[in-house]
Amino acid sequence: MKTYIVGGAVRDRLLGLPVADRDHVVVGATPDDMVALGYQPVGKDFPVFLHPQTHEEYALARTERKSGHGYKGFTVYAAPEVTLEEDLRRRDLTINAMAEDAAGALVDPYGGQRDLAARVFRHVSEAFAEDPVRILRVARFAARFNDFTVAPETNALMRRMVDNGEIDALVPERVWQEIARGLMEAQPSRMFQALRDCGALARLLPEIDCLFGVPQPPQHHPEIDTGVHVMLVVDWAAQQSMSLPVRFAALTHDLGKGVTPPELWPAHHGHEGKSVELVRALCERIRVPVDCRDLAVAVARDHGNAHRALELRPGTVVELLERVDAFRRPDRFEAFLQACECDFRGRPGYEDKPFPAPAYLRQALHAAQAVDAGAVARSVEPARIREAIFEARARAVAASRSQGGAHWEHFPHQADVGVRGIGPTLAAAFEQTARAMTAVVTDPTGVAANEAVDIRCEAPDDELLLVDWLNALILEMAARHLLFGRFEVSLDDHRLHATAWGEPVDLDKHQPAVEIKGATYTELKVGRNESGQWFAQCVVDV
Amino acid sequence: MNLAQFKQVSEVEWQIAPFGKMRVPAVIFADQALIRDMDEKVYEQLTNVATLPGIVQAAYAMPDAHWGYGFPIGGVAAFDADAGGVVSAGGVGFDISCGVRTLHTGLKAADIAPLKQRLADRLFAHIPAGVGSTGQLRLNANEMDAMLRGGARWAVEHGYGSAADLDRIEEQGCMAGAEPSKVSDQAKRRQRDEIGTLGSGNHYLELQEIVEIYDTKAADRFRLRVGEVVVSIHCGSRGLGHQIGTEFLKQMVIAAPGYGIELPDRELACAPINAPLGQAYLGAMRAAINCALANRQVIAHLTRQVFADLLPGTHLTLIYDVSHNTCKLEPHTVDGQSRRLYVHRKGATRAFGPGHPALPNELRDIGQPVLIGGSMGTASYILVGTETGMTRAFSSACHGAGRAMSRHQATRQWHGRALVDELASQGVLIRSPSLRGVAEEAPGAYKDVSAVVEAADRAGLARKVARLKPLVCIKG
């Protein structure tokens, strides 16, 4: 008897990728031989065993023959005389049909190395067509190995499987399982593209397929095509390592645009409501789990409101917070904001644009949460409690807004962090950038204003002045071991005079994540955004 | 990065021929997978470096290169002062002379296994780490200047470690040409109580077990044996270096037009080496190198105290101390001619090969130990400088894993507590003042250090000697 490492482990090692799980094939053994050696039998449909120490999977070499429709209709034949080549032949792609013996020698009867080098997904044999799940698997691999392409003959074979109805035999759970895994890969759009290329997307997820070719208004969507937009959004979500619910919500937020009558294009008024119905139906059909469904419904319904957050009346903002269940489920609200931000960033040229809505809505929630609902409830008659709490929250949101929508945010940088402040005046933007910098270290709302430090600086232009201002703060933080939470800046012709309030670093209270070394000239910009607000930003080295 | 923009010289060397204002070619050492994953910014920054006045031979990037400030992190470039060459604050970086030192404990992993928890707790309690931490030492103005002139030698004179350590530190522990008078009062103010502190971010102190030897001859000379435990300390020049970097960057940005230097990127700010500003920066930067050397010397002493207390009779001997953010004047042979060049290494380790006069007697015939830190919880490596390395990239090698993902992304994927527990279950004890800091430094947020080291080895920059596995990590 001889054992080989097979499949993904061999492929990933040749690609220089980390190998997570190793599967083994055993040639020339019977189930009884395996049990006698201490292996533990686990396979229901075919003979698979766990190694007594490593618990890695060992399967007896086998062949499979199609005996019915769908992925379960197989006759399995495992016997000592089945050869390694026969076992490899039943596998899906050449790059997955290689084996390695105990001495490390590679067995590659179907050109797996050649296809790895050429970065091609090619089916091993016509037996590929016997299992429609393989279409989804190839598409998922396309999302993971994003420089590979599907061989033309493999694509043609997949298309035949779609045309002859084999694809319709897939059970809904299996479709969701593969789509969910593909969404978690590096570039999910490639999965949908691969499914579209063979016609499978129209059968499996027609509501996504029909978004391609639907135009949107170019002033908000430079990419125009709704399908292209949705793909940019899921890829952005993947790039930002978002969770599965956020990625699924990103995929489905605009489904309603697919049913807009063409005579109304490129407008899609009220598409959010139609999206909600379509998301519910889709989730029902492919059995999407509740957490993914609920977030997808919320994002489909309210992404437009989130984008317009700064224009909404305070009461409408509170309604939005209530609808998204932000008061009880702050984690889901955060996921909601992440999905809305992906929707915004998934447009060409929008990757670095200021997007103040999430920070504003977070601040609104913060203000509304600060309302003492118990006290409000005790102050009015029972019938008016709900209304009174709502009004108090709306007033709190209005009060927080009167600061002119000043807020801060972070933007990504590979090794460090970008800080950005936004406000009605340049001075307010400088104050907010300083808060953003504190937030790199700790939550600025948790820093008490116990000590005041006076800061003055001067520079040839606003950008250099921003870097000077931040570096002056970094010096004071480092030399005095302080954290700052509140800032007041006044500016006069590139001269800055400011007071920063803070307190000494307290490890238990502040849990400071990292020390800031310096503010840099990278991504350094000071100016006004489209809505006329000032912003000031740069990357800080940590 | 798109591979089509390179000429592939070998399996691990990729060249960009000069175009536009480039004075020399740009060269990246990496295998195909590493270079494909590199940020496009590395290409942009490296070709920008190649435009600077007085650059010699080529602008180089190591296999761990990533998006830095002006220079890519993992960038190496040498300049000739007599050919109008420049010195760049961004080419050295904010954390001047950040580096790694590794000490031998002479103990077996099995010897310390029962004491692992206590060692972790005591090291964490004894060595100040994290935001706002302060050291035992308070330096007055005179002491500060003496430290900035003397480096590790100053620390030894003050009872931190022994003279034998100095031989095992670059520059014998004391960088010549340091000028404390060129270091601002603000920079000194930031450093008053920071000597002997680890800092934060990617800085750490680790106990590591030697798990694999690749080169028995070099391993013997470095006294590395499988199963034995070493201590590695990764930190730099603390607030003083950061402040010097900040201040000179600004001065160079403002002064560059006056020197007729056109900057494709403000972070590339530089000054002619022979100009007063260039000389002032070199004097201050060398003082910061001494600050880093003193800092690591004091931390090594604190580590020795903990070992002496818990495991009496243990002697921690220094294997070597390397710096990876520096600009140093070194002789190099270019086109058969010996020239004295100002070599910038930004996130790159000096890797002198056998026979180099700067190496101590007992290492001269084998080459310089090159210490490569991994990310928290993953492998570290010891390499050795090679003959071939001296003809490539001015005797330089990679310095670590390099980030693969932003801090924000990391905190979305990992939680500090869960990560600490998971690593503990793998036998790695983490101690850190900040759980969020731990999440930001998650092993998965870094590139695979093994791939980086493999590429450096195959490119002949340095040769693999040993692999180390972490046992305890004190995280700043």
Side-chain angles (χ1 to χ4, degrees):
Chain A
M1 112 182 204
K2 226 176 148 185
T3 67
Y4 300 85
I5 298 172
V6 286
V10 178
R11 174 198 69 216
D12 287 348
R13 190 185 63 74
L14 291 173
L15 283 171
L17 298 172
V19 173
D21 298 310
R22 294 194 304 177
D23 291 327
H24 304 259
V25 156
V26 183
V27 177
T30 65
D32 291 342
D33 296 338
M34 298 299 284
V35 172
L37 287 167
Y39 286 81
Q40 189 192 337
V42 288
K44 254 191 299 186
D45 302 328
F46 36 80
V48 178
F49 302 84
L50 295 186
H51 189 278
Q53 275 94 44
T54 65
H55 299 289
E56 290 181 333
E57 276 191 13
Y58 285 70
L60 296 190
R62 64 179 192 268
T63 59
E64 285 169 357
R65 209 161 347 96
K66 182 94 170 160
S67 61
H69 229 38
Y71 78 101
K72 276 192 169 159
F74 284 100
T75 308
V76 171
Y77 177 70
E81 62 270 22
V82 174
T83 65
L84 177 65
E85 284 71 17
E86 284 169 332
D87 180 279
L88 294 175
R89 194 177 157 74
R90 68 176 168 79
R91 292 167 188 269
D92 52 3
L93 298 173
T94 58
I95 60 165
N96 295 332
M98 292 182 279
E100 203 178 281
D101 70 12
L106 198 68
V107 183
D108 177 19
Y110 306 110
Q113 288 178 95
R114 172 203 63 208
D115 287 339
L116 272 187
R119 304 199 115 55
V120 167
F121 300 125
R122 192 190 314 280
H123 62 285
V124 176
S125 73
E126 291 295 314
F128 180 96
E130 293 175 358
D131 185 357
V133 169
R134 289 174 167 176
I135 295 177
L136 282 162
R137 267 171 61 89
V138 169
R140 181 157 64 72
F141 281 131
R144 181 191 304 177
F145 302 110
N146 56 8
D147 52 347
F148 278 65
T149 52
V150 180
E153 62 269 32
T154 303
N155 191 53
L157 179 60
M158 298 201 303
R159 181 167 280 283
R160 281 205 299 281
M161 293 164 70
V162 172
D163 291 344
N164 68 20
E166 184 68 18
I167 185 110
D168 303 322
L170 281 171
V171 295
E173 289 84 354
R174 200 62 210 270
V175 174
W176 166 250
Q177 195 182 6
E178 293 293 324
I179 295 290
R181 289 173 71 182
L183 279 171
M184 294 312 288
E185 298 290 0
Q187 201 179 339
S189 66
R190 288 184 39 100
M191 167 170 66
F192 299 103
Q193 191 54 50
L195 292 174
R196 239 163 79 76
D197 288 346
C198 67
L201 192 63
R203 302 286 266 276
L204 299 174
L205 301 169
E207 48 282 87
I208 307 282
D209 191 67
C210 72
L211 298 177
F212 290 88
V214 174
Q216 308 167 96
Q219 64 271 31
H220 301 302
H221 286 280
E223 74 289 350
I224 298 178
D225 189 302
T226 309
V228 173
H229 165 58
V230 166
M231 292 300 109
L232 288 169
V233 176
V234 286
D235 282 350
W236 180 269
Q239 229 180 65
Q240 301 301 311
S241 309
M242 293 296 174
S243 64
L244 176 63
V246 171
R247 295 184 196 202
F248 180 65
L251 176 70
T252 55
H253 75 284
D254 269 347
L255 292 188
K257 289 181 181 170
V259 295
T260 305
E263 58 273 23
L264 302 179
W265 289 351
H268 298 279
H269 296 300
H271 74 276
E272 290 94 341
K274 286 181 247 161
S275 290
V276 170
E277 288 168 35
L278 289 163
V279 170
R280 285 191 192 283
L282 167 65
C283 292
E284 182 84 9
R285 189 176 80 240
I286 62 169
R287 321 269 200 275
V288 175
V290 178
D291 60 334
C292 287
R293 184 198 64 198
D294 287 354
L295 183 66
V297 166
V299 172
R301 186 185 55 220
D302 276 313
H303 64 275
N305 286 324
H307 290 298
R308 288 189 294 275
L310 277 79
E311 301 149 32
L312 300 179
R313 286 181 299 107
T316 315
V317 170
V318 176
E319 281 167 10
L320 170 64
L321 295 174
E322 285 177 347
R323 258 200 320 278
V324 183
D325 210 2
F327 294 98
R328 287 190 311 169
R329 296 283 309 274
D331 53 333
R332 164 120 54 86
F333 178 60
E334 201 47 48
F336 169 82
L337 295 177
Q338 285 172 353
C340 291
E341 178 151 6
C342 292
D343 174 21
F344 181 82
R345 304 258 172 243
R347 310 169 196 210
Y350 279 55
E351 298 83 356
D352 298 320
K353 268 198 181 180
F355 181 51
Y360 171 71
L361 285 173
R362 262 181 222 121
Q363 180 191 314
L365 177 63
H366 206 71
Q369 274 172 332
V371 168
D372 185 345
V376 174
R378 284 189 294 278
S379 70
V380 296
E381 69 243 44
R384 274 208 71 237
I385 290 178
R386 235 188 102 80
E387 197 187 334
I389 291 175
F390 178 84
E391 284 165 3
R393 284 174 169 169
R395 277 196 304 276
V397 170
S400 83
R401 181 188 292 194
S402 68
Q403 296 163 6
H407 63 274
W408 59 266
E409 61 197 19
H410 289 157
F411 59 91
H413 176 271
Q414 193 174 20
D416 295 306
V417 187
V419 294
R420 181 185 290 135
I422 297 156
T425 62
L426 181 58
F430 270 46
E431 289 166 1
Q432 293 297 326
T433 313
R435 272 175 81 81
M437 189 167 76
T438 295
V440 173
V441 185
T442 189
D443 177 1
T445 58
V447 179
N450 295 342
E451 285 178 44
V453 176
D454 194 60
I455 289 172
R456 283 166 199 275
C457 33
E458 198 176 334
D461 61 52
D462 287 339
E463 293 188 346
L464 292 178
L465 188 62
L466 175 72
V467 174
D468 268 14
W469 155 236
L470 298 179
N471 278 325
L473 287 169
I474 291 168
L475 171 62
E476 296 303 330
M477 286 163 73
R480 297 174 194 255
H481 308 300
L482 286 178
L483 288 169
F484 297 114
R486 213 182 114 210
F487 309 87
E488 249 177 51
V489 171
S490 61
L491 290 169
D492 177 21
D493 193 26
H494 309 317
R495 270 192 300 271
L496 174 147
H497 179 203
T499 310
W501 285 268
E503 64 173 327
V505 183
D506 177 332
L507 289 185
D508 290 331
K509 179 178 170 190
H510 300 121
Q511 282 280 305
V514 72
E515 178 181 57
I516 298 174
K517 294 173 186 165
T520 76
Y521 300 103
T522 299
E523 302 286 305
L524 170 60
K525 279 181 208 128
V526 174
R528 301 181 89 147
N529 64 22
E530 284 161 345
S531 49
Q533 283 187 307
W534 285 92
F535 69 93
Q537 66 168 58
C538 72
V539 168
V540 294
D541 189 3
V542 295
Chain B
M1 290 200 285
N2 179 3
L3 300 185
Q5 46 199 352
F6 298 96
K7 181 185 148 207
Q8 185 168 9
V9 181
S10 75
E11 183 207 359
V12 284
E13 185 176 340
W14 309 75
Q15 208 181 71
I16 306 157
F19 65 88
K21 293 183 174 159
M22 285 168 73
R23 295 165 196 260
V24 292
V27 175
I28 299 181
F29 294 102
D31 64 22
Q32 208 177 63
L34 286 168
I35 199 165
R36 188 174 290 128
D37 283 348
M38 264 180 207
D39 198 303
E40 282 294 338
K41 291 275 182 187
V42 173
Y43 179 93
E44 186 187 317
Q45 294 189 323
L46 199 62
T47 51
N48 280 344
V49 170
T51 68
L52 293 176
I55 186 166
V56 176
Q57 199 162 292
Y60 296 100
M62 300 292 115
D64 50 341
H66 55 279
W67 181 16
Y69 301 105
F71 276 56
I73 295 165
V76 175
F79 297 85
D80 186 338
D82 298 333
V86 293
V87 59
S88 165
V92 171
F94 284 93
D95 199 354
I96 297 167
S97 197
C98 180
V100 179
R101 68 161 53 192
T102 298
L103 302 107
H104 223 291
T105 65
L107 299 166
K108 295 244 181 301
D111 298 336
I112 70 151
L115 284 169
K116 221 165 120 182
Q117 293 276 0
R118 281 181 67 200
L119 268 169
D121 292 336
R122 288 289 297 281
L123 287 167
F124 183 50
H126 200 56
I127 294 160
V131 179
S133 56
T134 56
Q136 294 287 318
L137 280 160
R138 295 288 176 280
L139 301 184
N140 65 27
N142 287 337
E143 279 298 308
M144 178 67 73
D145 285 2
M147 182 273 285
L148 294 177
R149 261 191 298 269
R153 187 170 298 163
W154 169 88
V156 169
E157 281 161 9
H158 285 70
Y160 297 95
S162 69
D165 293 337
L166 298 177
D167 246 5
R168 297 296 186 118
I169 304 175
E170 291 181 2
E171 321 300 335
Q172 281 70 51
C174 175
M175 184 75 218
E179 290 187 56
S181 64
K182 303 297 183 201
V183 178
S184 72
D185 291 343
Q186 281 88 338
K188 291 173 182 172
R189 207 178 128 213
R190 264 176 93 163
Q191 195 58 29
R192 265 185 323 209
D193 50 13
E194 289 201 348
I195 281 287
T197 62
L198 264 183
S200 66
N202 60 358
H203 293 163
Y204 60 76
L205 181 150
E206 277 192 351
L207 302 194
Q208 302 159 331
E209 178 184 349
I210 301 166
V211 286
E212 196 170 353
I213 299 285
Y214 306 98
D215 179 328
T216 42
K217 186 171 163 226
D220 274 354
R221 302 301 306 280
F222 299 166
R223 300 201 300 113
L224 306 174
R225 277 176 289 271
V226 168
E228 290 192 342
V229 177
V230 298
V231 179
S232 288
I233 297 164
H234 176 213
C235 65
S237 52
R238 310 290 300 110
L240 180 124
H242 310 164
Q243 191 68 24
I244 291 172
T246 299
E247 290 170 4
F248 277 94
L249 189 61
K250 182 182 175 193
Q251 290 180 47
M252 288 176 176
V253 166
I254 294 172
Y259 293 122
I261 299 173
E262 216 181 301
L263 294 177
D265 169 359
R266 270 185 293 203
E267 297 276 356
L268 267 183
C270 53
I273 294 161
N274 289 331
L277 180 56
Q279 286 298 309
Y281 175 69
L282 285 169
M285 189 254 328
R286 288 164 179 160
I289 291 180
N290 281 331
C291 178
L293 298 181
N295 195 37
R296 290 197 286 271
Q297 184 68 23
V298 171
I299 292 174
H301 178 75
L302 298 175
T303 310
R304 284 168 166 154
Q305 286 179 332
V306 171
F307 272 84
D309 207 20
L310 286 181
L311 290 151
T314 312
H315 293 285
L316 270 58
T317 49
L318 186 54
I319 297 170
Y320 211 67
D321 178 306
V322 298
S323 294
H324 44 230
N325 290 345
T326 56
C327 173
K328 289 182 174 179
L329 180 58
E330 294 168 3
H332 286 281
T333 308
V334 181
D335 298 331
Q337 278 195 319
S338 180
R339 291 166 74 176
R340 287 165 59 77
L341 302 174
Y342 287 82
V343 183
H344 291 66
R345 295 189 181 90
K346 168 76 195 96
T349 314
R350 193 190 79 179
F352 283 155
H356 199 285
L359 295 178
N361 289 335
E362 65 267 36
L363 296 178
R364 192 163 301 144
D365 64 320
I366 190 83
Q368 179 207 307
V370 177
L371 312 172
I372 307 298
S375 54
M376 173 181 70
T378 62
S380 292
Y381 286 83
I382 296 179
L383 286 72
V384 63
T386 61
E387 205 81 62
T388 50
M390 295 205 269
T391 62
R392 293 181 190 194
F394 306 108
S395 293
S396 309
C398 54
H399 84 306
R403 281 195 88 87
M405 144 183 336
S406 74
R407 290 173 180 276
H408 267 264
Q409 251 174 300
T411 49
R412 264 203 290 277
Q413 285 207 352
W414 294 283
H415 288 101
R417 169 60 28 209
L419 206 56
V420 169
D421 292 345
E422 190 193 320
L423 287 167
S425 76
Q426 296 166 19
V428 187
L429 302 183
I430 307 288
R431 295 289 184 273
S432 173
S434 168
L435 287 174
R436 181 175 138 193
V438 168
E440 290 184 0
E441 292 292 325
Y446 281 82
K447 289 180 204 159
D448 178 10
V449 68
S450 303
V452 166
V453 164
E454 201 59 48
D457 181 298
R458 272 188 286 153
L461 299 171
R463 197 169 67 244
K464 278 196 303 180
V465 176
R467 182 164 57 91
L468 317 172
K469 175 188 99 172
L471 301 171
V472 169
C473 177
I474 311 298
K475 191 85 204 134

